[in-house]
PDB file of all heavy atoms in Angstrom:
ATOM      1  N   LEU G  18      43.519  57.441 100.061  1.00 98.00           N
ATOM      2  CA  LEU G  18      44.551  56.494 100.410  1.00 98.00           C
ATOM      3  C   LEU G  18      45.251  56.002  99.193  1.00 98.00           C
ATOM      4  O   LEU G  18      46.634  55.928  99.175  1.00 98.00           O
ATOM      5  CB  LEU G  18      43.918  55.290 101.215  1.00 98.00           C
ATOM      6  CG  LEU G  18      44.919  54.291 101.823  1.00 98.00           C
ATOM      7  CD1 LEU G  18      44.225  53.592 102.959  1.00 98.00           C
ATOM      8  CD2 LEU G  18      45.350  53.198 100.903  1.00 98.00           C
ATOM      9  N   VAL G  19      44.581  55.598  98.197  1.00 98.00           N
ATOM     10  CA  VAL G  19      45.279  55.148  96.895  1.00 98.00           C
ATOM     11  C   VAL G  19      46.089  56.278  96.353  1.00 98.00           C
ATOM     12  O   VAL G  19      47.310  55.863  95.821  1.00 98.00           O
ATOM     13  CB  VAL G  19      44.109  54.640  95.902  1.00 98.00           C
ATOM     14  CG1 VAL G  19      44.730  54.425  94.593  1.00 98.00           C
ATOM     15  CG2 VAL G  19      43.449  53.401  96.447  1.00 98.00           C
ATOM     16  N   GLU G  20      45.645  57.421  96.295  1.00 98.00           N
ATOM     17  CA  GLU G  20      46.499  58.549  95.766  1.00 98.00           C
ATOM     18  C   GLU G  20      47.812  58.639  96.555  1.00 98.00           C
ATOM     19  O   GLU G  20      48.841  58.826  96.076  1.00 98.00           O
ATOM     20  CB  GLU G  20      45.746  59.874  95.750  1.00 98.00           C
ATOM     21  CG  GLU G  20      44.582  59.885  94.683  1.00 98.00           C
ATOM     22  CD  GLU G  20      45.094  59.758  93.299  1.00 98.00           C
ATOM     23  OE1 GLU G  20      46.184  60.335  92.893  1.00 98.00           O
ATOM     24  OE2 GLU G  20      44.548  59.016  92.436  1.00 98.00           O
ATOM     25  N   GLY G  21      47.646  58.493  97.831  1.00 98.00           N
ATOM     26  CA  GLY G  21      48.756  58.526  98.731  1.00 98.00           C
ATOM     27  C   GLY G  21      49.807  57.437  98.468  1.00 98.00           C
ATOM     28  O   GLY G  21      51.016  57.619  98.542  1.00 98.00           O
ATOM     29  N   MET G  22      49.333  56.252  98.132  1.00 98.00           N
ATOM     30  CA  MET G  22      50.204  55.120  97.616  1.00 98.00           C
ATOM     31  C   MET G  22      50.851  55.442  96.373  1.00 98.00           C
ATOM     32  O   MET G  22      52.069  55.074  96.151  1.00 98.00           O
ATOM     33  CB  MET G  22      49.418  53.838  97.624  1.00 98.00           C
ATOM     34  CG  MET G  22      48.840  53.360  98.925  1.00 98.00           C
ATOM     35  SD  MET G  22      49.990  53.227 100.305  1.00 98.00           S
ATOM     36  CE  MET G  22      49.763  54.817 101.128  1.00 98.00           C
ATOM     37  N   PHE G  23      50.187  56.139  95.503  1.00 98.00           N
ATOM     38  CA  PHE G  23      50.796  56.505  94.231  1.00 98.00           C
ATOM     39  C   PHE G  23      51.875  57.597  94.505  1.00 98.00           C
ATOM     40  O   PHE G  23      52.964  57.523  93.908  1.00 98.00           O
ATOM     41  CB  PHE G  23      49.790  57.184  93.228  1.00 98.00           C
ATOM     42  CG  PHE G  23      48.829  56.161  92.681  1.00 98.00           C
ATOM     43  CD1 PHE G  23      47.668  56.546  91.989  1.00 98.00           C
ATOM     44  CD2 PHE G  23      49.024  54.739  92.789  1.00 98.00           C
ATOM     45  CE1 PHE G  23      46.779  55.712  91.514  1.00 98.00           C
ATOM     46  CE2 PHE G  23      48.146  53.832  92.320  1.00 98.00           C
ATOM     47  CZ  PHE G  23      47.021  54.296  91.555  1.00 98.00           C
ATOM     48  N   ASP G  24      51.656  58.445  95.419  1.00 98.00           N
ATOM     49  CA  ASP G  24      52.721  59.391  95.885  1.00 98.00           C
ATOM     50  C   ASP G  24      53.939  58.723  96.352  1.00 98.00           C
ATOM     51  O   ASP G  24      55.029  59.080  96.061  1.00 98.00           O
ATOM     52  CB  ASP G  24      52.213  60.292  96.981  1.00 98.00           C
ATOM     53  CG  ASP G  24      51.163  61.368  96.449  1.00 98.00           C
ATOM     54  OD1 ASP G  24      51.161  61.601  95.265  1.00 98.00           O
ATOM     55  OD2 ASP G  24      50.499  61.997  97.310  1.00 98.00           O
ATOM     56  N   LEU G  25      53.690  57.608  97.197  1.00 98.00           N
ATOM     57  CA  LEU G  25      54.830  56.884  97.616  1.00 98.00           C
ATOM     58  C   LEU G  25      55.688  56.232  96.484  1.00 98.00           C
ATOM     59  O   LEU G  25      56.940  56.194  96.516  1.00 98.00           O
ATOM     60  CB  LEU G  25      54.363  55.726  98.623  1.00 98.00           C
ATOM     61  CG  LEU G  25      55.408  54.776  99.177  1.00 98.00           C
ATOM     62  CD1 LEU G  25      56.405  55.464 100.028  1.00 98.00           C
ATOM     63  CD2 LEU G  25      54.691  53.755  99.999  1.00 98.00           C
ATOM     64  N   LEU G  26      54.974  55.685  95.572  1.00 98.00           N
ATOM     65  CA  LEU G  26      55.579  55.019  94.299  1.00 98.00           C
ATOM     66  C   LEU G  26      56.451  56.088  93.630  1.00 98.00           C
ATOM     67  O   LEU G  26      57.441  55.776  93.111  1.00 98.00           O
ATOM     68  CB  LEU G  26      54.579  54.541  93.403  1.00 98.00           C
ATOM     69  CG  LEU G  26      53.947  53.095  93.790  1.00 98.00           C
ATOM     70  CD1 LEU G  26      52.796  52.774  92.908  1.00 98.00           C
ATOM     71  CD2 LEU G  26      54.880  51.961  93.757  1.00 98.00           C
ATOM     72  N   GLU G  27      56.047  57.324  93.619  1.00 98.00           N
ATOM     73  CA  GLU G  27      56.741  58.467  92.975  1.00 98.00           C
ATOM     74  C   GLU G  27      57.812  59.086  93.856  1.00 98.00           C
ATOM     75  O   GLU G  27      58.496  59.920  93.541  1.00 98.00           O
ATOM     76  CB  GLU G  27      55.834  59.520  92.503  1.00 98.00           C
ATOM     77  CG  GLU G  27      54.877  59.007  91.343  1.00 98.00           C
ATOM     78  CD  GLU G  27      53.947  60.116  90.927  1.00 98.00           C
ATOM     79  OE1 GLU G  27      53.691  61.055  91.727  1.00 98.00           O
ATOM     80  OE2 GLU G  27      53.424  60.068  89.806  1.00 98.00           O
ATOM     81  N   GLY G  28      57.977  58.575  95.136  1.00 97.00           N
ATOM     82  CA  GLY G  28      58.881  59.129  96.131  1.00 97.00           C
ATOM     83  C   GLY G  28      58.426  60.422  96.614  1.00 97.00           C
ATOM     84  O   GLY G  28      59.246  61.262  97.066  1.00 97.00           O
ATOM     85  N   LYS G  29      57.140  60.745  96.593  1.00 98.00           N
ATOM     86  CA  LYS G  29      56.601  61.993  97.093  1.00 98.00           C
ATOM     87  C   LYS G  29      55.747  61.887  98.383  1.00 98.00           C
ATOM     88  O   LYS G  29      54.871  62.707  98.587  1.00 98.00           O
ATOM     89  CB  LYS G  29      55.752  62.658  95.957  1.00 98.00           C
ATOM     90  CG  LYS G  29      56.538  62.914  94.658  1.00 98.00           C
ATOM     91  CD  LYS G  29      55.657  63.429  93.578  1.00 98.00           C
ATOM     92  CE  LYS G  29      56.306  63.727  92.246  1.00 98.00           C
ATOM     93  NZ  LYS G  29      55.330  64.070  91.190  1.00 98.00           N
ATOM     94  N   GLU G  30      55.973  60.867  99.046  1.00 98.00           N
ATOM     95  CA  GLU G  30      55.164  60.572 100.270  1.00 98.00           C
ATOM     96  C   GLU G  30      55.320  61.671 101.305  1.00 98.00           C
ATOM     97  O   GLU G  30      56.363  62.326 101.414  1.00 98.00           O
ATOM     98  CB  GLU G  30      55.507  59.219 100.854  1.00 98.00           C
ATOM     99  CG  GLU G  30      56.890  59.145 101.524  1.00 98.00           C
ATOM    100  CD  GLU G  30      58.045  58.827 100.509  1.00 98.00           C
ATOM    101  OE1 GLU G  30      57.774  58.892  99.400  1.00 98.00           O
ATOM    102  OE2 GLU G  30      59.159  58.665 101.072  1.00 98.00           O
ATOM    103  N   LYS G  31      54.402  61.865 102.197  1.00 98.00           N
ATOM    104  CA  LYS G  31      54.386  62.858 103.242  1.00 98.00           C
ATOM    105  C   LYS G  31      54.789  62.159 104.563  1.00 98.00           C
ATOM    106  O   LYS G  31      54.481  60.997 104.791  1.00 98.00           O
ATOM    107  CB  LYS G  31      53.086  63.501 103.526  1.00 98.00           C
ATOM    108  CG  LYS G  31      52.470  64.150 102.267  1.00 98.00           C
ATOM    109  CD  LYS G  31      53.366  65.377 101.863  1.00 98.00           C
ATOM    110  CE  LYS G  31      52.716  66.156 100.699  1.00 98.00           C
ATOM    111  NZ  LYS G  31      53.549  67.237 100.223  1.00 98.00           N
ATOM    112  N   HIS G  32      55.617  62.848 105.403  1.00 98.00           N
ATOM    113  CA  HIS G  32      56.104  62.268 106.650  1.00 98.00           C
ATOM    114  C   HIS G  32      55.506  62.930 107.857  1.00 98.00           C
ATOM    115  O   HIS G  32      55.060  64.048 107.738  1.00 98.00           O
ATOM    116  CB  HIS G  32      57.616  62.303 106.697  1.00 98.00           C
ATOM    117  CG  HIS G  32      58.272  61.322 105.717  1.00 98.00           C
ATOM    118  ND1 HIS G  32      58.753  60.120 106.159  1.00 98.00           N
ATOM    119  CD2 HIS G  32      58.557  61.388 104.385  1.00 98.00           C
ATOM    120  CE1 HIS G  32      59.331  59.488 105.056  1.00 98.00           C
ATOM    121  NE2 HIS G  32      59.206  60.278 104.025  1.00 98.00           N
ATOM    122  N   CYS G  33      55.532  62.292 108.950  1.00 98.00           N
ATOM    123  CA  CYS G  33      54.938  62.700 110.205  1.00 98.00           C
ATOM    124  C   CYS G  33      55.385  62.033 111.376  1.00 98.00           C
ATOM    125  O   CYS G  33      56.163  61.063 111.335  1.00 98.00           O
ATOM    126  CB  CYS G  33      53.441  62.547 110.137  1.00 98.00           C
ATOM    127  SG  CYS G  33      52.866  60.807 110.139  1.00 98.00           S
ATOM    128  N   GLU G  34      55.034  62.598 112.613  1.00 97.00           N
ATOM    129  CA  GLU G  34      55.168  61.904 113.879  1.00 97.00           C
ATOM    130  C   GLU G  34      53.835  61.869 114.530  1.00 97.00           C
ATOM    131  O   GLU G  34      52.835  62.428 113.942  1.00 97.00           O
ATOM    132  CB  GLU G  34      56.273  62.715 114.753  1.00 97.00           C
ATOM    133  CG  GLU G  34      57.575  62.654 114.211  1.00 97.00           C
ATOM    134  CD  GLU G  34      58.316  61.350 114.363  1.00 97.00           C
ATOM    135  OE1 GLU G  34      57.782  60.393 115.008  1.00 97.00           O
ATOM    136  OE2 GLU G  34      59.474  61.248 113.836  1.00 97.00           O
ATOM    137  N   PHE G  35      53.745  61.373 115.814  1.00 97.00           N
ATOM    138  CA  PHE G  35      52.475  61.342 116.339  1.00 97.00           C
ATOM    139  C   PHE G  35      52.612  61.860 117.825  1.00 97.00           C
ATOM    140  O   PHE G  35      53.546  61.644 118.543  1.00 97.00           O
ATOM    141  CB  PHE G  35      51.920  59.863 116.537  1.00 97.00           C
ATOM    142  CG  PHE G  35      51.433  59.351 115.156  1.00 97.00           C
ATOM    143  CD1 PHE G  35      52.362  58.750 114.214  1.00 97.00           C
ATOM    144  CD2 PHE G  35      50.202  59.543 114.793  1.00 97.00           C
ATOM    145  CE1 PHE G  35      51.864  58.324 113.037  1.00 97.00           C
ATOM    146  CE2 PHE G  35      49.645  59.156 113.580  1.00 97.00           C
ATOM    147  CZ  PHE G  35      50.609  58.543 112.701  1.00 97.00           C
ATOM    148  N   ASP G  36      51.605  62.717 118.184  1.00 95.00           N
ATOM    149  CA  ASP G  36      51.379  63.125 119.510  1.00 95.00           C
ATOM    150  C   ASP G  36      50.118  62.574 119.977  1.00 95.00           C
ATOM    151  O   ASP G  36      49.009  63.030 119.779  1.00 95.00           O
ATOM    152  CB  ASP G  36      51.236  64.692 119.491  1.00 95.00           C
ATOM    153  CG  ASP G  36      51.096  65.307 120.915  1.00 95.00           C
ATOM    154  OD1 ASP G  36      51.289  64.599 121.863  1.00 95.00           O
ATOM    155  OD2 ASP G  36      50.895  66.562 121.012  1.00 95.00           O
ATOM    156  N   GLY G  37      50.243  61.431 120.674  1.00 94.00           N
ATOM    157  CA  GLY G  37      49.138  60.651 121.084  1.00 94.00           C
ATOM    158  C   GLY G  37      48.580  60.053 119.724  1.00 94.00           C
ATOM    159  O   GLY G  37      49.241  59.445 119.029  1.00 94.00           O
ATOM    160  N   VAL G  38      47.264  60.374 119.582  1.00 94.00           N
ATOM    161  CA  VAL G  38      46.641  59.920 118.254  1.00 94.00           C
ATOM    162  C   VAL G  38      46.623  60.947 117.196  1.00 94.00           C
ATOM    163  O   VAL G  38      46.158  60.812 116.106  1.00 94.00           O
ATOM    164  CB  VAL G  38      45.216  59.381 118.532  1.00 94.00           C
ATOM    165  CG1 VAL G  38      45.186  58.227 119.439  1.00 94.00           C
ATOM    166  CG2 VAL G  38      44.299  60.591 118.965  1.00 94.00           C
ATOM    167  N   GLU G  39      47.255  62.174 117.523  1.00 95.00           N
ATOM    168  CA  GLU G  39      47.201  63.236 116.561  1.00 95.00           C
ATOM    169  C   GLU G  39      48.423  63.185 115.638  1.00 95.00           C
ATOM    170  O   GLU G  39      49.530  62.976 116.067  1.00 95.00           O
ATOM    171  CB  GLU G  39      47.173  64.628 117.184  1.00 95.00           C
ATOM    172  CG  GLU G  39      45.931  64.836 117.970  1.00 95.00           C
ATOM    173  CD  GLU G  39      44.654  64.889 117.213  1.00 95.00           C
ATOM    174  OE1 GLU G  39      44.786  65.520 116.140  1.00 95.00           O
ATOM    175  OE2 GLU G  39      43.637  64.309 117.637  1.00 95.00           O
ATOM    176  N   THR G  40      48.204  63.310 114.385  1.00 96.00           N
ATOM    177  CA  THR G  40      49.305  63.327 113.333  1.00 96.00           C
ATOM    178  C   THR G  40      49.867  64.695 113.248  1.00 96.00           C
ATOM    179  O   THR G  40      49.213  65.754 113.153  1.00 96.00           O
ATOM    180  CB  THR G  40      48.646  63.011 111.900  1.00 96.00           C
ATOM    181  OG1 THR G  40      48.016  61.646 111.975  1.00 96.00           O
ATOM    182  CG2 THR G  40      49.818  62.951 110.887  1.00 96.00           C
ATOM    183  N   VAL G  41      51.266  64.760 113.391  1.00 97.00           N
ATOM    184  CA  VAL G  41      51.935  66.026 113.348  1.00 97.00           C
ATOM    185  C   VAL G  41      52.856  65.900 112.094  1.00 97.00           C
ATOM    186  O   VAL G  41      53.881  65.053 112.064  1.00 97.00           O
ATOM    187  CB  VAL G  41      52.826  66.184 114.605  1.00 97.00           C
ATOM    188  CG1 VAL G  41      53.547  67.528 114.574  1.00 97.00           C
ATOM    189  CG2 VAL G  41      51.923  66.144 115.826  1.00 97.00           C
ATOM    190  N   MET G  42      52.565  66.709 111.110  1.00 97.00           N
ATOM    191  CA  MET G  42      53.442  66.672 109.941  1.00 97.00           C
ATOM    192  C   MET G  42      54.824  67.118 110.201  1.00 97.00           C
ATOM    193  O   MET G  42      55.063  68.098 110.889  1.00 97.00           O
ATOM    194  CB  MET G  42      52.854  67.652 108.891  1.00 97.00           C
ATOM    195  CG  MET G  42      51.369  67.281 108.409  1.00 97.00           C
ATOM    196  SD  MET G  42      51.164  65.610 107.874  1.00 97.00           S
ATOM    197  CE  MET G  42      52.070  65.695 106.375  1.00 97.00           C
ATOM    198  N   LYS G  43      55.775  66.319 109.688  1.00 97.00           N
ATOM    199  CA  LYS G  43      57.197  66.587 109.880  1.00 97.00           C
ATOM    200  C   LYS G  43      58.005  66.010 108.730  1.00 97.00           C
ATOM    201  O   LYS G  43      57.836  64.890 108.433  1.00 97.00           O
ATOM    202  CB  LYS G  43      57.673  65.946 111.255  1.00 97.00           C
ATOM    203  CG  LYS G  43      59.073  66.435 111.675  1.00 97.00           C
ATOM    204  CD  LYS G  43      59.359  65.868 113.075  1.00 97.00           C
ATOM    205  CE  LYS G  43      60.765  66.255 113.467  1.00 97.00           C
ATOM    206  NZ  LYS G  43      61.102  65.682 114.778  1.00 97.00           N
TER     207      LYS G  43
END
């Protein structure tokens, strides 16, 4: 999670949508 927050600070975050509770990368 912390590494993901560092990615966000660098503008490299990953995006997604949700199909119910399943994460769908988009």
Side-chain angles (χ1 to χ4, degrees):
L18 187 156
V19 168
E20 289 298 318
M22 297 305 96
F23 290 168
D24 287 342
L25 177 61
L26 284 171
E27 292 179 338
K29 300 175 182 177
E30 70 277 7
K31 303 296 184 182
H32 287 262
C33 68
E34 294 287 353
F35 286 89
D36 181 6
V38 297
E39 295 298 319
T40 302
V41 180
M42 302 303 296
K43 190 175 181 183

